[in-house]
Amino acid sequence: MANNTIRLEIITPTKMFYRDDVELVVVKTSKGEEGFMAGHLWARKLLSIGPLKIREPGASNMKYGVIAGGYIDVSTTGIMIYTDAAEWDTDIDLKLATDQKAAAEKYLREHRDMPDDDPNIIAVQKGLARSEARIHTAKRRDKLLKMS
């Protein structure tokens, strides 16, 4: 492994989503988007539902995806991301994500009298946040495709 790379592993409950050396990984924490690379001080942080950006060694472009929260563990030997779900921008169905967002918004409107800590409300809010992140990522992908 070169000095400017570090091993990144992204693990979901069902699979090893990604395992390779990277120059940079950017994820959304509670403080906003943060980047991690080789030589970064030890860190363990909670992740929000949001974008995933990876720069692989020698690549001129980033790889983009979405993760469903979780946490990141950064050490001198590697970066581990544990998340409930992850997907690449190329796998996102924009129409499906838009439909899921509309369904979540409708549910929340129809159940606005329920307490915020109701498990169903919490689950739908998480689904809404994931749909919004997927839509944003897919639109960025489609914009880049039109430009090329």
Side-chain angles (χ1 to χ4, degrees):
M1 181 163 62
N3 290 347
N4 64 339
T5 64
I6 190 164
R7 174 63 63 160
L8 170 65
E9 294 184 2
I10 302 173
I11 302 168
T12 74
T14 59
K15 65 183 175 183
M16 173 66 72
F17 177 72
Y18 184 87
R19 177 189 293 150
D20 209 343
D21 294 341
V22 300
E23 292 179 352
L24 173 69
V25 60
V26 180
V27 289
K28 185 177 178 187
T29 70
S30 60
K31 305 255 189 233
E33 286 192 7
E34 293 189 48
F36 302 91
M37 54 184 28
H40 195 284
L41 294 176
W42 177 87
R44 181 174 290 148
K45 297 184 176 204
L46 290 175
L47 299 177
S48 301
I49 295 170
L52 166 71
K53 302 173 190 172
I54 297 171
R55 182 182 305 122
E56 295 177 322
S60 57
N61 295 321
M62 302 280 276
K63 287 183 82 158
Y64 292 90
V66 175
I67 58 172
Y71 75 93
I72 187 168
D73 189 358
V74 182
S75 71
T76 57
T77 58
I79 299 173
M80 302 289 293
I81 294 176
Y82 300 93
T83 182
D84 286 338
E87 63 188 316
W88 297 116
D89 62 345
T90 54
D91 297 330
I92 296 171
D93 180 331
L94 182 55
K95 179 170 179 354
L96 177 62
T98 302
D99 291 347
Q100 290 170 334
K101 178 181 183 237
E105 289 171 335
K106 180 181 179 201
Y107 182 91
L108 292 173
R109 275 193 311 276
E110 292 174 351
H111 296 87
R112 70 180 75 167
D113 57 330
M114 294 178 73
D116 289 344
D117 62 351
D118 180 89
N120 291 327
I121 296 297
I122 292 169
V124 172
Q125 288 171 334
K126 285 182 180 179
L128 176 60
R130 185 163 176 230
S131 293
E132 289 171 340
R134 294 174 77 228
I135 290 166
H136 175 78
T137 300
K139 284 183 175 179
R140 185 211 53 78
R141 170 201 67 206
D142 293 349
K143 181 180 176 184
L144 289 176
L145 287 174
K146 286 179 185 176
M147 293 172 56
S148 57

